[in-house]
Amino acid sequence: MKRLVYLAIAIIVILGIQNDLTGSTLSNLVQQDDNTPEAQTNQTEEDPPPIPSQEVIIESGQTVLSIVERLHNGQVDQSIQEILADFSVLNDGINPNEIQIGQTYRFPLYTKQ
């Protein structure tokens, strides 16, 4: 009987570790199912971004601020909060602290005033 209990605990621990490593949750799995007819009818054409932007592929060591500064040759007059908020708007609410290497994101372009 003890062996069965130990086996059940080991399986739970292994599944928990796998869940932590893959970062998957039940809500993520449900949101990824966009092939349903309801999801297809609710999808509309993308509206143009509200502010000028440029797409950039993230490389190791880059941050939202470092990329925006590079795009503007180090001369950015906007506040950090404004840059991060604009990044989130351009990328459908993605948290700027959760960008991933190899993914493409839109970064705001600002004009000099």
Side-chain angles (χ1 to χ4, degrees), residues 11-32:
I11 290 173
I12 291 171
V13 169
I14 290 171
L15 290 175
I17 291 171
Q18 178 190 10
N19 188 31
D20 287 344
L21 293 177
T22 60
S24 64
T25 61
L26 218 77
S27 63
N28 288 344
L29 295 174
V30 171
Q31 290 175 353
Q32 289 176 357

Side-chain angles (χ1 to χ4, degrees), residues 27-67:
S27 63
N28 288 344
L29 295 174
V30 171
Q31 290 175 353
Q32 289 176 357
D33 187 19
D34 288 339
N35 294 330
T36 61
E38 291 175 359
Q40 291 175 353
T41 57
N42 290 336
Q43 292 176 349
T44 60
E45 293 182 22
E46 288 186 27
D47 295 333
I51 54 178
S53 64
Q54 180 173 346
E55 288 189 352
V56 176
I57 298 173
I58 303 299
E59 297 175 2
S60 179
Q62 291 182 321
T63 64
V64 171
L65 296 176
S66 68
I67 292 171

